[in-house]
Amino acid sequence: QVQLVESGGGLVQAGGSLRLSCAASGRTSNIRAMGWFRQAPGKEREFVAANRWSDTYTRYTDSVKGRFTISRDNAKNTVSLQMNSLKPEDTAVYYCAVKVGEFGSILYDYDYWGQGTQVTVSS
């Protein structure tokens, strides 16, 4: 019912910046939150950042606070992740996700996922 396409990934040196974008299409009228997750090789997928669609509430994982900024455009059904001061440990596939359910946490309970975009930070 909802399709997601991520873009903006690439290769950058440590200390550099990247901006990821995600566009949602389909039945977008019931979006309650959009967020970003990442998965590094050999590791489990982890929460990065999210924002609620109805207000300006945002949430970040501790490791990216002060470096990453999430933003969204409700009219365009998009969410972006500005990543500054990138570190090699930020290297991962980044996934955009949409929550449409009435209940659950914006940290865990997402319903639709994009295919991911690769972010590689070299040292």
Side-chain angles (χ1 to χ4, degrees), residues 38 63-64 67-68 85-92 94 119 121:
R38 66 187 181 186
S63 63
V64 308
R67 300 189 298 120
F68 292 9
S85 301
L86 283 163
K87 305 175 181 179
E89 48 263 47
D90 294 318
T91 296
Y94 284 71
V119 172
V121 184

Side-chain angles (χ1 to χ4, degrees), residues 1-98:
Q1 292 184 311
V2 177
Q3 296 80 45
L4 301 171
V5 179
E6 303 101 332
S7 62
L11 174 65
V12 65
Q13 288 188 320
S17 299
L18 284 174
R19 184 177 179 86
L20 305 182
S21 296
C22 175
S25 61
R27 294 181 60 85
T28 58
S29 61
N30 294 325
I31 291 175
R32 295 181 180 273
M34 293 187 71
W36 291 94
F37 293 74
R38 66 187 181 186
Q39 186 169 21
K43 296 184 178 180
E44 295 183 343
R45 184 178 61 194
E46 67 171 341
F47 171 82
V48 177
N51 53 208
R52 202 153 53 198
W53 226 240
S54 60
D55 54 32
T56 59
Y57 177 81
T58 60
R59 185 72 176 266
Y60 298 90
T61 192
D62 288 344
S63 63
V64 308
K65 288 181 179 178
R67 300 189 298 120
F68 292 9
T69 302
I70 189 170
S71 60
R72 59 52 172 136
D73 187 330
N74 299 62
K76 296 182 178 180
N77 297 314
T78 59
V79 63
S80 297
L81 186 69
Q82 179 66 45
M83 305 184 294
N84 298 325
S85 301
L86 283 163
K87 305 175 181 179
E89 48 263 47
D90 294 318
T91 296
V93 176
Y94 284 71
Y95 297 90
C96 175
V98 165

